[in-house]
Amino acid sequence: METKNLEESLGVIWHFQEQGTKNQEKICSKLKEGVNEQIFDELLNEKLIRIENGNIVFTPEGEKIASNITRRHRLAERLLNDVLEVKQGEIDKSACEFEHILSEEVTDAICTLLGHPKFCPHGSPIPAGECCKKAKEEVESIIVSLDKLSPGEKGRVAYFTTLEHPQLHKFLSLGIIPGKIIHLHQTHPAYVIKVEETQLALEENLAKNIYVRRM
Amino acid sequence: MHEYQIEKKIIAEKKLVLIGNPNVGKSVIFNHLTGKYVTVSNYPGTTVDISRGIGSFGLGKEKYTVMDSPGVNSLHPHSEDEEVARNLLLEEKPDLVVQVADAKNLRRALHLTFELAELEIPVILGLNMHDEAKERGIRINIRLLEKLLGIPVVPTVAITGDGIGELKNRIPEAKIPNKKVRYSPEIEEFVKRIEIDFLSGERGNRGIGLMLLAGDMTLYPYLNKKLKKDKFDRLLTFLEEERKGFVHSPDWLVFNYREREAIEIISQVQEIVGKIYSSLAEKLGKWTMRPFPGYLILLAVIYLMYKFVGEFAAGTIVNFLEEKIFQQWINPFFTKIVVSTFPLKFIQEFLVGEYGIFTMALTYALAIIFPIVTAFFLFFGLLEDSGYLPRLSVMLDRVFRLMGLNGKAVLPMVLGLGCDTMAVLSARILDTKKERLIVSILLALAVPCSAQLGVILAMLGGLSWKATVIWLGVIIFFLVSVGWLSAKILPGITTPFFVEIPPIRRPSMSNILAKVKMRLVWYLKEAVPLFILGTLVLFLMNKLKILNLTKYLMSPVVVHWAGLPVKTTEAFIVGFLRRDYGAAGLYALAKEGLLNPQQIVVSLVIITLFVPCLAQFLVTIRERGLKTAAAIFFFTLFIAFFAGGLLNFILSWVKII
């Protein structure tokens, strides 16, 4: 229970700092109101934060926890929003539960599944984890945009990036649906792909928006 | 219940609408189902054409009005085509729907079947292209599919007519599909409230409810008509409130549930057996899109087209018709009749004189233009029905992108080589205003129609190859540079290239001929009156001595700037009515030896880039508005003479021809 509160509070402080608020009093009153009266002293005692000129500053350890909890929360939001069909109110509630129970492995797995997203559904940045750094280094990552495949290769549709509505609808109705296998036939002069028995031609810019799991 | 029809010829008691995804062979089925009398009319308020015909089906040979709708992926509209198809179902209230499906692509078809089930319309499903599916090792258990959907299912091969008999016999058996997609409780709740609170007791409320949930605003006019004002307003508020509750776009949710059901059904009825082998057609289909040998195939297609349209039709056939049939038989015959019937010289000249209706307008329209256009439409039909055109759009996408368009613009631009007027109409397939505008400009400026091209090529054929290269180079230069500038200057957005590529197929000759016939009738109706009008204008100008005055007025530009003989003005004057008519005027002058090679090239460049013909101009006004059309007119006029003059100076200076 106690760690949960500590984590929660560090997450709140992280959020404030993102917005540019470091002022001790402001944050402190929010924490006391939202968590409990003693939480601020506990954070100091545990050496997770310290005070500098009336501003709150993370200690290295505190920063790590704060970054991790934020990362888990926002990834959970992405998961609930993109993959599971969950209503807005539910997302906030569940994400708050998820952030405390996800292990590092599971978090990284979700992150990989989602293709190492950079932003949560509300547009706040998701702190990068180990897996994101690795994914950047590894040229051959698992989920890649379609333009990273070579002709003759195939991949299973994972998700799309720019979701302009008519475009998304067109993808879906022509059979480019998450879970379907795309065969890449050629890339020049335009991309030609085959999904089931439907053959489609599209330009490179669109291909970049389709993310597939290599097969 | 008796029904009336828009077209007088077509009256039947019952109505049937054909619905299907794009490229499933709907039109071929339509031809099978209907007889000779087919009318094509514009769907009110849109740019989409609907064909109507009549057929009798079942054992009782009951008569139906058969309506063909545009190919759609969904009845929740994302395009004008889809909107028309959906509205056709809601407003015409057909007794039944014949859904045509691609047997290779059952999944996509099922989405439509589910939507039809929700609209509670009786359906019979034609699984078309059954042979192609078989070839690819796709086996479909028809009986089980019938049972699962609760509707008759008939495998067909429209091209060969296989299964069409059974389809016709079973049409009266159509039933409302009893397969209903179950959605999540929230969605069901929403739809129920729409049904109970707003639309009571009407057929297809569930479907309408789901479309509204998915955010379909195109339904509002329809509902506004049906519901009382306060109820409609309450509905809008209800929709706005309720739709907020969904995090995921409801459209996407609904799609997902349908997808699940479709997959469930497919897993039961469909089996893929054996290795899917790649047929020659499939290989050919792939080759046509790769740089190698795709571009070689493209060149071969252009060469064949030149041989067939340019040499065979515009050369052999035209020579035969014009020199043998018309000049030796028909014209002397009419001249004799006219001279003996009308003693008045004025009327004689009007009908069979230098600028006579028979001797100039009809000879020209029927002996020269008709065979060229027929050949072009035949060739174009072949390209269209074999599935080559979408492949051409793949090959040319990058070139079109330079001009602010994408590969999709291949269709109007290539059709423009047949008839620019028709091409301006077909620019509707493009997605944005900007793209349609650019295509309208380029068609007016630099795409000669087949009639004009035939005459031009005949003239260039008599000169050295350098003349052809210069002419082609100048036209392509202006085509690309004007396109590029328009893309930069004009406001608006362009869309990414994304098209479906149907498999390469052996086209059905009867289908092509039906299309050629339709296009030719359209063409003759549009062109012949203009020929007569143009001849009349020349005749009157000649009689009233305005012709010489106009020539005198235009001579600074024509003679001094472009270096052409003053008589070419006549060609340019008729060119205002039809460019090909203008080109034919130049042809006559060249034949008389009044133009030297340099003048021929210069005059051809001018007449190619010249203003759109009257019909094209009128259609451009209708499609793009008067202001835009007028701007295009003056722009092309300026560019034509600017280019001609410039070329004249360059050629006088370097003397290469």
Side-chain angles (χ1 to χ4, degrees), chain A residues 7 68-76 99-100 102 107:
Chain A
E7 284 182 344
N68 278 340
I69 192 84
T70 308
R71 171 174 156 77
R72 288 199 293 264
H73 183 91
R74 290 178 185 169
L75 277 174
E99 66 187 27
H100 303 292
L102 294 179
T107 311

Side-chain angles (χ1 to χ4, degrees), chain B residues 4 7 80 82 85 141 166 183 202 251 324 335 347 356 363 391 422 441 478 493 509 523 607 636 641:
Chain B
Y4 61 92
E7 300 291 333
E80 196 172 34
E82 292 180 341
N141 184 338
E166 193 194 342
Y183 299 96
E202 286 261 349
D251 189 9
K324 290 264 151 48
T335 310
I347 295 183
T363 305
R391 290 175 165 77
M422 215 179 259
I441 294 172
F478 278 97
I493 49 161
M509 214 49 211
Y523 186 83
I607 201 75
T636 49
F641 280 100

Side-chain angles (χ1 to χ4, degrees), chain B residues 530-542:
Chain B
L530 279 181
F531 283 146
I532 294 176
L533 182 69
T535 313
L536 203 65
V537 169
L538 274 188
F539 175 76
L540 289 177
M541 284 176 102
N542 187 35

Side-chain angles (χ1 to χ4, degrees), chain A residues 81 85-88 165 169-170 172 174-175 177 180 185-186 188-189 196-203, chain B residues 78 104-105 107-108 136 186 245 247-248 251-253 255 259 289 291 394 398 496-499 501:
Chain A
N81 188 55
E85 290 152 12
V86 180
K87 275 198 171 190
Q88 189 62 58
H165 203 71
H169 188 88
K170 209 168 167 200
L172 294 178
L174 287 174
I177 300 167
K180 287 270 177 305
H185 284 177
Q186 64 173 64
H188 283 279
E196 292 182 330
E197 290 299 324
T198 305
Q199 207 174 171
L200 301 164
L202 61 165
E203 63 175 66
Chain B
H78 284 82
K104 305 191 299 297
N105 219 324
R107 191 192 61 75
R108 274 170 71 186
R136 289 170 202 210
E186 300 157 85
V247 173
H248 251 288
D251 189 9
W252 156 263
L253 286 180
F255 178 87
E259 177 69 13
M289 287 185 286
V394 171
R398 275 159 201 267
F497 176 57
F498 185 38
V499 294
I501 310 281

Side-chain angles (χ1 to χ4, degrees), chain A residues 180-200:
Chain A
K180 287 270 177 305
I181 296 170
I182 289 185
H183 295 259
L184 181 61
H185 284 177
Q186 64 173 64
T187 55
H188 283 279
Y191 278 67
V192 174
I193 60 174
K194 195 169 180 187
V195 188
E196 292 182 330
E197 290 299 324
T198 305
Q199 207 174 171
L200 301 164

Side-chain angles (χ1 to χ4, degrees), chain A residues 9-167:
Chain A
S9 316
L10 286 168
V12 172
I13 299 172
W14 178 276
H15 185 75
F16 272 110
Q17 300 213 336
E18 265 178 0
Q19 318 267 324
T21 311
K22 291 185 173 168
N23 186 283
Q24 182 192 350
E25 273 169 48
K26 250 191 198 161
I27 299 176
C28 220
S29 65
K30 271 274 179 241
L31 284 180
K32 282 179 177 160
E33 188 184 311
V35 190
N36 59 41
E37 288 290 329
Q38 305 83 35
I39 191 70
F40 190 69
D41 298 326
E42 273 177 49
L43 286 171
L44 283 173
N45 286 343
E46 297 284 330
K47 293 203 168 44
L48 294 172
I49 52 169
R50 56 200 155 77
I51 308 294
E52 271 176 22
N53 312 326
N55 284 340
I56 295 179
V57 180
F58 283 122
T59 63
E61 198 189 342
E63 182 166 1
K64 205 175 149 203
I65 297 174
S67 146
N68 278 340
I69 192 84
T70 308
R71 171 174 156 77
R72 288 199 293 264
H73 183 91
R74 290 178 185 169
L75 277 174
E77 282 181 334
R78 269 253 85 98
L79 180 74
L80 293 164
N81 188 55
D82 294 2
V83 182
L84 312 171
E85 290 152 12
V86 180
K87 275 198 171 190
Q88 189 62 58
E90 276 300 306
I91 287 192
D92 295 337
K93 239 195 287 168
S94 310
C96 289
E97 297 291 322
F98 267 138
E99 66 187 27
H100 303 292
I101 51 176
L102 294 179
S103 71
E104 197 164 323
E105 282 87 2
V106 176
T107 311
D108 284 359
I110 292 174
C111 187
T112 309
L113 171 78
L114 297 172
H116 311 288
K118 298 221 161 38
F119 298 96
C120 80
H122 307 103
S124 309
I126 300 174
E130 278 306 308
C131 68
C132 307
K133 284 165 201 155
K134 246 189 237 161
K136 237 182 217 168
E137 288 157 16
E138 277 178 28
V139 188
E140 295 261 323
S141 60
I142 307 166
I143 294 192
V144 292
S145 55
L146 191 57
D147 61 304
K148 299 288 182 325
L149 295 189
S150 332
E153 285 190 309
K154 56 186 174 176
R156 198 180 281 279
V157 180
Y159 61 93
F160 313 107
T161 46
T162 40
L163 290 180
E164 238 182 81
H165 203 71
Q167 202 63 60

